Amino acid sequence: MRAARLIHLVLLLQSRAAMTAAELAQRLEVSERTVARDVQALAEAGVPVHAARGRVGGYRLVGGYRTRLTGLGRTEAEALFLSGVPGALRDMGLADAASAARLKVSAALLPELRGAEASAAQRFHLDAPGWWREPDAPELLPAVAEAVWADRRLAVTYRRRPDAAAVERELEPYGLVLKAGVWYLVARVPEGGAGDGAGAAGAFRVYRVERFERAEPLGAGGDGAEGGGGGEAAERFERDEDFDLPGFWAERAAAFARSILRDEVTVRLSPGALRRLPHVTDRAAAEDAAAGAGEPDDRGWTAVRLRVESLDVAYTQLLTLGPDAEVLGPPELRDRFAAAAARSAELYGRAS
């Protein structure tokens, strides 16, 4: 266990110019005192780890030291082959590069590990798109992906909705997200590139890639680039290294989910319906409703206030709970359920 941690520590220092004891402790999930002991052990073994004290101190490898302790175990090799998403790589135009990388990794593995790729493929498969949806890769996705990898500014033409007017934008493309078969670009609006209604300069925004009608690197066709060979410098942007794409997406997705829950209904639920509520409506809204519920009545039923997208959506969702749910308000939704119940009673009350 300690040997694996020591190798991990060396590889971390090899990949970074320097790391503090706190950073190493966090990555290795040990205490800073354990990090100090591990560094001492490496030094005694001949690994040139230099420790610098002070506010900007830390650990680093000296003399261009490179470890050869990079062998993979079977579990590590199988996890490596699971790390790619073949469909997504193909859509971004990276299938050939990914295939070449897998081939090189396979060739470098020990003979007893060369079945790792087939072993992983036989056991796990990612099918990202949702049901009843035929996934279509946006035509401009490869161009957008290339700009993301190269930190290159884009000049785009975009429609917020299919029926909306097209707008022109200059964007700094930070990252791509594949959500339920739909590709999104997270981009920052640079100074002077906001345009009408694009939001404040420096703000990060989310764009559906399929709604781009044009996406060209600035300078490639004269857009926004100065003459005399200055285009190449004008094309690129300086990435904010503190930007966290997964964290940003999680926060934005949660905010979006909250924003569409504009109405509220009051409903009495049986114990079974209360358990099923997260499966028929927004999970976060259902959890909030259950957390704010009062005490159950004599029958065990509980009244909750539930945030919903609209009364029409609430009608469709709560109808699936059948007689285990009673809508108390608003009155127009209760009347709608009463009418539906009356029609059902008439239908099932007819003689066969």
Side-chain angles (χ1 to χ4, degrees):
M1 187 70 177
R2 190 191 186 197
R5 189 175 71 241
L6 291 174
I7 294 172
H8 192 179
L9 192 157
V10 174
L11 293 174
L12 285 171
L13 293 178
Q14 186 172 298
S15 65
R16 300 272 293 273
M19 295 185 71
T20 66
E23 290 172 333
L24 287 168
Q26 181 180 16
R27 294 292 298 272
L28 297 171
E29 298 182 351
V30 296
S31 68
E32 293 185 30
R33 178 171 294 182
T34 297
V35 169
R37 288 198 296 264
D38 286 350
V39 168
Q40 180 64 32
L42 288 171
E44 292 173 356
V47 179
V49 182
H50 175 72
R53 300 184 182 278
R55 185 174 59 85
V56 293
Y59 298 102
R60 63 183 179 87
L61 294 174
V62 298
Y65 178 84
R66 306 290 293 178
T67 179
R68 295 183 179 274
L69 299 175
T70 54
L72 295 175
R74 170 164 289 276
T75 302
E76 294 169 323
E78 290 172 345
L80 176 64
F81 286 114
L82 282 174
S83 64
V85 184
L89 292 170
R90 182 182 61 250
D91 292 347
M92 290 189 291
L94 297 174
D96 290 343
S99 177
R102 286 194 296 269
L103 182 61
K104 291 177 181 179
V105 171
S106 295
L109 291 175
L110 294 173
E112 60 267 26
L113 299 181
R114 288 180 185 161
E117 180 176 10
S119 175
Q122 289 167 356
R123 287 165 173 80
F124 297 97
H125 173 68
L126 176 63
D127 184 9
W131 289 103
W132 305 292
R133 175 184 175 87
E134 189 65 29
D136 292 319
E139 181 180 354
L140 295 175
L141 178 60
V144 174
E146 184 177 355
V148 169
W149 284 112
D151 294 341
R152 182 163 293 171
R153 286 193 177 95
L154 283 174
V156 304
T157 302
Y158 183 76
R159 293 182 188 270
R160 293 190 187 91
R161 301 180 307 278
D163 59 344
V167 295
E168 304 292 327
R169 294 282 182 269
E170 292 181 11
L171 301 176
E172 295 177 349
Y174 265 68
L176 285 163
V177 176
L178 178 60
K179 170 69 173 179
V182 180
W183 285 94
Y184 296 88
L185 172 69
V186 177
R188 183 164 63 179
V189 181
E191 196 72 38
D196 183 29
F204 287 95
R205 298 178 64 84
V206 177
Y207 300 85
R208 287 183 69 142
V209 177
E210 64 189 28
R211 293 182 183 166
F212 285 125
E213 297 182 355
R214 179 178 67 103
E216 299 176 355
L218 282 170
D223 289 299
E226 298 177 1
E232 185 66 22
E235 291 173 358
R236 299 184 182 276
F237 65 92
E238 184 175 349
R239 176 177 288 266
D240 181 357
E241 296 299 335
D242 292 331
F243 178 72
D244 175 18
L245 179 61
F248 171 85
W249 181 260
E251 182 179 337
R252 182 60 62 93
F256 174 76
R258 291 191 300 269
S259 71
I260 64 175
L261 302 177
R262 301 183 181 91
D263 283 318
E264 185 178 88
V265 302
T266 305
V267 57
R268 288 178 65 246
L269 302 170
S270 71
L274 186 61
R275 289 193 299 270
R276 289 161 51 200
L277 190 62
H279 302 288
V280 302
T281 187
D282 180 81
R283 177 173 292 276
E287 292 173 351
D288 289 345
E295 293 295 323
D297 61 17
D298 294 342
R299 298 174 55 198
W301 286 47
T302 306
V304 301
R305 299 174 66 179
L306 176 69
R307 292 179 295 114
V308 295
E309 184 175 345
S310 68
L311 296 186
D312 286 340
V313 171
Y315 175 78
T316 302
Q317 293 174 337
L318 296 176
L319 200 61
T320 63
L321 297 176
D324 285 330
E326 178 191 3
V327 173
L328 303 178
E332 59 268 35
L333 184 61
R334 180 177 174 85
D335 291 345
R336 192 171 175 182
F337 270 88
R343 291 197 303 272
S344 295
E346 181 183 358
L347 178 64
Y348 287 100
R350 293 175 183 168
S352 302

